[in-house]
Amino acid sequence: MALTAKELIEIERLLAADGADIEPLVELRRRFPQLAWVCCDTSDLSDQPFRQFSRFDLHLLDRSDHCVQITADPTRATGIVLAKREVEQ
C-alpha cells in the first residue's frame, strides 16, 4: 500500500515536533502499520534524504518492484527509512 499525502504530513509532523521521542519508531509503526519501517544510522545510507529533522533523516522506500530502493517520489513510497542522526550535545 502506497504512502498517502496525509500520512506523509502526519509522519513529518511527528518527527518535527519539539521534544519528539528519541525513538519514534514504535509510535510510527503503531500509527502506520501498513507501511514498511526500517531504522538505521545515517552512515548506512548515501542517498539524499527526502526530509531532514533534528534527530532523523527521512527516506522513502519503494518496494513496488522485486528490488527495494530509495525513492524521492512520495507516490511510489510504500515504506519509510528513518536514518538516525548523531545529536551533538
Side-chain angles (χ1 to χ4, degrees):
M1 177 181 246
L3 177 68
T4 68
K6 184 178 176 182
E7 290 169 334
L8 183 57
I9 290 167
E10 182 64 21
I11 291 165
E12 290 176 341
R13 197 173 288 149
L14 285 167
L15 293 172
D18 285 342
D21 291 337
I22 293 173
E23 300 297 335
L25 195 57
V26 171
E27 179 63 18
L28 290 167
R29 280 184 172 154
R30 185 188 68 76
R31 289 191 190 195
F32 307 100
Q34 72 282 9
L35 298 173
W37 290 94
V38 177
C39 193
C40 64
D41 190 82
T42 54
S43 64
D44 294 332
L45 295 167
S46 59
D47 299 280
Q48 283 295 112
F50 180 74
R51 297 277 190 274
Q52 289 184 305
F53 300 94
S54 62
R55 293 189 172 119
F56 295 93
D57 288 345
L58 176 72
H59 297 267
L60 303 178
L61 192 62
D62 178 0
R63 302 179 307 150
S64 62
D65 294 325
H66 69 281
C67 292
V68 175
Q69 60 187 345
I70 299 293
T71 182
D73 183 357
T75 64
R76 294 193 52 88
T78 56
I80 302 288
V81 176
L82 289 182
K84 191 172 184 178
R85 302 176 73 170
E86 286 293 322
V87 179
E88 295 182 16
Q89 300 198 16

